[in-house]
Amino acid sequence: MKHTLADVVEIDLNAELPRPASAELRILYRDEGQSTRRQDTRQGMWIAIAVYLLFSVTDILLVPDVAPYVISARFVIGTIAFILLELQFRWNASADTIDATCATALVIAYAGWLYPSLMTADTPSISYYMVFGAIFMMSVNLFFSFQFRLSLMASAVILLIFFAALLSFPPIDPSYKLAFGTFCVSCFVFTSYVNWKLNRERYKVFLNAIEARLQQKEAAERGDALLRLSNTDPLTGLENRRAIDQRLRDYWNAWQTYGTRFTAILIDVDFFKKYNDCYGHQEGDRCLIQVADVLTESIKPYNGSIGRYGGEEFIVLARVASQDEVAELAESIRCTVEKMGLLHQQRRDGMSIVTVSVGAAFTRSEAGTKLEKIIHEADRALYGAKASGRNCIKLFDPNDPHSSDESENVAALLKIATAQNLVSLVYQPIRNVSSGNVEAVEALMRLTMIDGTSVSPSLFIPIAERTGAILNLGYWAIRTVCSELLIDNHVRVVSVNVSPIQLKTPGFATSVAAILGETGVAGGRLAFEITEGLEMEMNSDILRCISDLKTLGIKIWLDDFGTGFAGLSWLRLIDFDTVKIDRSFLHDSNTPRGKAMLQDIIGLVRNRGHKILVEGVETDEQLALMHEFRIDQVQGFHVGRPAPAEKFRAKPRVDDHASRVRRPA
Ligand code: C2E
Ligand code: MG
Ligand code: MG
């Protein structure tokens, strides 16, 4: 089994006699502190040479007769050692080499002092003086930090030199030789032992340092991994919302500080819920991973950042110089996903592959100082892309009324609209073509600003849908219709426009039932108009809600038929009581082609057995055509403009209206 460095450190730390348990550790120990070791030995050597030369004084005092030789030897050896050491230092020799040189120099210095001194005629003096030889042994073992083996070898050689000198020097007394020899051997043993212990301690300190370093490294790596994990989306491996928010802050700060402009692009996978429902969640996950991968590739040339922003929503941030570049990047993102050609056969909008809607915003000088603003703008652009039929890109346009600050005001206004009486309903008659009688009225919502100016439904309804305000407004409309017109039987049926967002809301049918219960109005007096347009995904929640509403007796009408993609499939899925054919078909009917088209649509709806209502009747000719086509009901400025409830509270002058609906002569 191969041990890691941490393992061998652990083994060594627990060993009785620690010694490098692996080659790696040995090399590490050798290399560890190379430069400090070299520096320590160098300085130690300077001191040793200085002391060695200073001993010339004792030479003169103790062995004056041979002092010139001894002192010369001292200077020659000291100088050579100094030069050698300095050269090695300059040549960057290893600490081991420098230590070896130093140890050798010490041995030679010992011999170089001892042997000339022995030539003295003063036997007692030299017998004292020889004691100083112990200093050399102490030096190699204790003064310098040599490795044990080197110290042992050097001190052993010193001991040998000493014995050689002692034995070959007959004038000294044998008992002195015995005592002094014993002293030197003891000195050798003890100082070697201390050296061995010091080396062991040094190695232990090294091991502890390595262990601490490894632990620190491991903790840092664990910290890095944790950080990576907390910043990564586990499914796609992209940065998650938290991380990308931080990046956004960086981009934003760079823009605020250096004026580096950037774009924020939101990307939403079209009809992803349907994809999940149809292919299962595992495939759904795979789809997101594939989209994430191609998006990552497509932004590489722009050096941008990408993250997963929510369920099927991604975000790209990139430094760009112009609006054109933003459009180019957004389009390349859209194209890349389309080119993948990933099958998605359940989307019912004429396409059968996975695509994305893309909304982009670009830093503008007047965009204010709030960081969220750019995301908000990209979000609005994305909403616009979805509203335009998806699989397209939209760049945020501050001049677009749906994007402008005005829409912010409207969104704020909608929150307080019902409480402040800023909303009201007008009713537009729906007439039977043959009798001319008002059979129903359509409730149309009106919004006025606080200063009294009115806001077009085409502006405030999409905002209400986007912000969710449509829910309360919708309940308010149903309640108002019941209390204004239905309780007192002023009209037979009132149709109310209902957004798919309302139908998707859990508990919608129950809340409607509660309103009917409160007001005592029968469900059959209400019709709900559903527009096939935006947010037209017909999911099971909507179908269930519609079926509940039908159980309450409420009629379900299909509004603006022919304007969206889903109309035909909706016709198949839902049993509508009435289908309202969008006014654009009637308005195009002044050409033979347009007329044939209208006829075809009418035929199609009629064959499915729905009652037909044509919207937008504005002229006598159009009304005549309705007679000709045997349409059931009509609506339009020519047969009745939207008017407040009061107009319908008075008994309707059926005759007046009937005369206008009658077939022209
Ligand atoms: P819609 O449901 O198709 O309403 C008919 C729209 O056509 C009304 O516009 C009406 O004033 C207009 N109109 C009626 N007759 C004619 C005509 O002869 N010629 C022309 N050119 N237009 C005619 P309005 O009131 O501006 O409403 C626009 C849309 O706003 C409505 O279309 C509907 O989709 C939505 N809306 C209105 N009120 C509500 C509401 O209470 N809830 C929801 N969800 N949507 C609403
Ligand atoms: Mg309508
Ligand atoms: Mg309509």
Side-chain angles (χ1 to χ4, degrees):
M1 195 179 79
K2 193 170 175 349
H3 290 298
T4 63
L5 183 60
D7 290 341
V8 289
V9 168
E10 195 62 32
I11 292 170
D12 262 14
L13 270 176
N14 293 324
E16 259 311 293
L17 294 173
R19 41 201 287 263
S22 75
E24 187 187 5
L25 205 54
R26 201 169 307 124
I27 293 168
L28 255 181
Y29 184 47
R30 202 192 57 206
D31 295 346
E32 181 77 6
Q34 277 273 344
S35 69
T36 13
R37 267 179 65 201
R38 287 163 76 232
Q39 198 59 42
D40 284 353
T41 307
R42 186 188 188 198
Q43 281 168 4
M45 197 62 186
W46 288 344
I47 295 170
I49 292 172
V51 172
Y52 185 61
L53 296 180
L54 274 177
F55 265 95
S56 303
V57 179
T58 46
D59 293 340
I60 295 167
L61 294 176
L62 292 171
V63 283
D65 52 338
V66 291
Y69 309 108
V70 183
I71 293 171
S72 308
R74 280 186 194 279
F75 274 87
V76 171
I77 295 169
T79 312
I80 292 175
F82 178 79
I83 292 171
L84 253 182
L85 192 83
E86 285 304 310
L87 282 178
Q88 283 188 333
F89 198 81
R90 220 142 281 180
W91 291 334
N92 249 338
S94 71
D96 283 351
T97 313
I98 291 179
D99 279 1
T101 309
C102 188
T104 313
L106 284 166
V107 171
I108 294 172
Y110 177 57
W113 155 71
L114 185 61
Y115 281 98
S117 302
L118 285 177
M119 290 188 300
T120 180
D122 190 350
T123 312
S125 285
I126 189 64
S127 61
Y128 298 131
Y129 202 18
M130 276 172 85
V131 180
F132 285 86
I135 290 175
F136 288 89
M137 205 172 280
M138 284 185 217
S139 302
V140 289
N141 276 333
L142 306 178
F143 180 66
F144 289 95
S145 305
F146 296 153
Q147 303 222 338
F148 178 62
R149 217 177 304 167
L150 181 65
S151 300
L152 190 71
M153 265 166 29
S155 53
V157 174
I158 289 172
L159 190 67
L160 287 178
I161 292 172
F162 165 76
F163 272 108
L166 197 64
L167 297 176
S168 63
F169 195 58
I172 302 181
D173 180 27
S175 57
Y176 172 84
K177 284 185 181 176
L178 178 66
F180 194 38
T182 316
F183 165 75
C184 280
V185 171
S186 312
C187 195
F188 166 73
V189 172
F190 288 126
T191 55
S192 296
Y193 176 71
V194 174
N195 176 279
W196 176 74
K197 284 205 79 162
L198 280 176
N199 265 298
R200 223 177 83 172
E201 276 316 304
R202 260 202 296 274
Y203 183 55
K204 271 201 163 176
V205 168
F206 157 78
L207 286 179
N208 282 323
I210 289 272
E211 189 180 50
R213 219 180 303 152
L214 286 174
Q215 279 169 356
Q216 196 182 0
K217 195 172 151 216
E218 200 185 330
E221 278 170 1
R222 217 173 307 141
D224 283 352
L226 266 177
L227 189 70
R228 243 193 331 273
L229 207 68
S230 69
N231 282 336
T232 308
D233 168 50
L235 178 69
T236 57
L238 297 182
E239 292 197 322
N240 60 16
R241 191 170 185 143
R242 191 186 118 103
I244 207 78
D245 276 348
Q246 180 51 48
R247 281 212 191 272
L248 176 64
R249 260 189 292 278
D250 298 342
Y251 276 82
W252 183 267
N253 289 338
W255 178 49
Q256 297 282 308
T257 321
Y258 310 109
T260 323
R261 305 182 76 182
F262 71 97
T263 177
I265 301 178
L266 290 175
I267 302 135
D268 193 89
V269 181
D270 296 328
F271 302 103
F272 184 68
K273 191 174 177 323
K274 267 225 146 70
Y275 189 92
N276 256 342
D277 291 346
C278 167
Y279 299 101
H281 281 88
Q282 242 173 356
E283 277 305 312
D285 284 355
R286 207 163 300 152
C287 166
L288 289 178
I289 294 169
Q290 279 174 277
V291 170
D293 288 349
V294 293
L295 289 182
T296 310
E297 278 305 309
S298 72
I299 64 152
K300 266 187 188 156
Y302 296 86
N303 201 16
S305 312
I306 179 166
R308 184 166 171 212
Y309 214 49
E312 72 265 32
E313 198 167 294
F314 298 90
I315 181 170
V316 162
L317 302 169
R319 298 198 164 89
V320 284
S322 67
Q323 191 91 9
D324 289 347
E325 226 181 309
V326 177
E328 192 185 291
L329 172 56
E331 181 57 21
S332 102
I333 285 172
R334 189 202 64 76
C335 256
T336 322
V337 176
E338 193 181 51
K339 271 195 206 131
M340 260 199 326
L342 203 63
L343 268 189
H344 183 353
Q345 285 170 317
Q346 293 294 310
R347 45 190 287 174
R348 295 193 181 131
D349 67 340
M351 295 212 69
S352 55
I353 53 169
V354 170
T355 58
V356 286
S357 300
V358 181
F362 186 42
T363 41
R364 291 176 291 124
S365 45
E366 70 278 15
T369 47
K370 272 181 105 183
L371 166 76
E372 298 77 23
K373 182 117 181 162
I374 192 160
I375 297 296
H376 188 58
E377 291 179 353
D379 196 36
R380 290 216 229 147
L382 176 63
Y383 188 85
K386 288 194 205 170
S388 310
R390 295 178 161 96
N391 187 26
C392 62
I393 65 160
K394 276 272 175 305
L395 305 193
F396 175 76
D397 175 5
N399 301 318
D400 177 351
H402 287 291
S403 310
S404 67
D405 284 344
E406 191 196 341
S407 94
E408 290 285 273
N409 294 340
V410 170
L413 205 64
L414 285 172
K415 284 191 196 148
I416 52 158
T418 50
Q420 300 282 319
N421 289 329
L422 298 173
V423 272
S424 59
L425 290 177
V426 291
Y427 300 91
Q428 185 174 28
I430 292 168
R431 291 180 183 278
N432 182 296
V433 176
S434 26
S435 69
N437 290 338
V438 175
E439 290 191 332
V441 293
E442 178 181 5
L444 296 164
M445 202 177 284
R446 297 289 175 258
L447 174 73
T448 46
M449 306 278 253
I450 293 177
D451 65 4
T453 50
S454 59
V455 186
S456 159
S458 59
L459 177 65
F460 78 79
I461 295 291
I463 296 174
E465 286 178 333
R466 198 182 73 219
T467 57
I470 198 73
L471 272 180
N472 280 334
L473 289 173
Y475 291 133
W476 172 87
I478 297 165
R479 192 173 286 117
T480 309
V481 161
C482 290
S483 56
E484 275 189 346
L485 288 183
L486 293 175
I487 289 181
D488 298 329
N489 297 322
H490 293 298
V491 284
R492 222 176 320 150
V493 172
V494 180
S495 72
V496 180
N497 292 284
V498 168
S499 148
I501 288 167
Q502 293 168 268
L503 299 173
K504 263 192 225 170
T505 306
F508 177 69
T510 320
S511 303
V512 173
I515 295 172
L516 292 177
E518 264 169 44
T519 52
V521 170
R525 310 277 306 281
L526 272 180
F528 282 174
E529 295 189 16
I530 307 171
T531 306
E532 59 145 332
L534 183 58
E535 295 291 343
M536 62 204 162
E537 269 180 273
M538 180 57 74
N539 62 30
S540 49
D541 294 342
I542 296 188
L543 289 177
R544 202 167 316 121
C545 179
I546 288 176
S547 139
D548 291 347
L549 293 171
K550 274 180 168 278
T551 314
L552 293 173
I554 296 170
K555 298 181 177 71
I556 305 294
W557 294 3
L558 178 56
D559 202 358
D560 301 341
F561 179 67
T563 51
F565 295 108
L568 285 178
S569 56
W570 279 30
L571 277 188
R572 209 153 37 87
L573 282 171
I574 303 164
D575 185 21
F576 291 105
D577 295 281
T578 297
V579 173
K580 296 179 79 171
I581 295 173
D582 189 68
R583 62 172 168 269
S584 56
F585 293 99
L586 180 62
H587 294 177
D588 286 350
S589 67
N590 48 7
T591 63
R593 215 177 129 86
K595 191 173 171 183
M597 179 84 166
L598 178 61
Q599 220 165 352
D600 287 347
I601 288 181
I602 290 167
L604 180 111
V605 179
R606 185 165 283 149
N607 286 341
R608 292 205 54 87
H610 305 288
K611 209 186 236 186
I612 303 176
L613 188 159
V614 175
E615 303 175 311
V617 176
E618 292 178 347
T619 62
D620 252 350
E621 291 73 30
Q622 286 168 347
L623 186 58
L625 197 65
M626 297 299 97
H627 277 286
E628 187 188 319
F629 287 162
R630 289 179 294 103
I631 296 300
D632 303 298
Q633 293 172 320
V634 283
Q635 186 181 353
F637 295 157
H638 188 63
V639 292
R641 284 187 176 263
E646 292 79 58
K647 184 171 174 203
F648 299 91
R649 287 222 191 92
K651 199 164 167 40
R653 288 171 293 154
V654 175
D655 288 344
D656 275 8
H657 296 303
S659 62
R660 284 165 70 188
V661 191
R662 226 169 281 136
R663 179 198 279 270

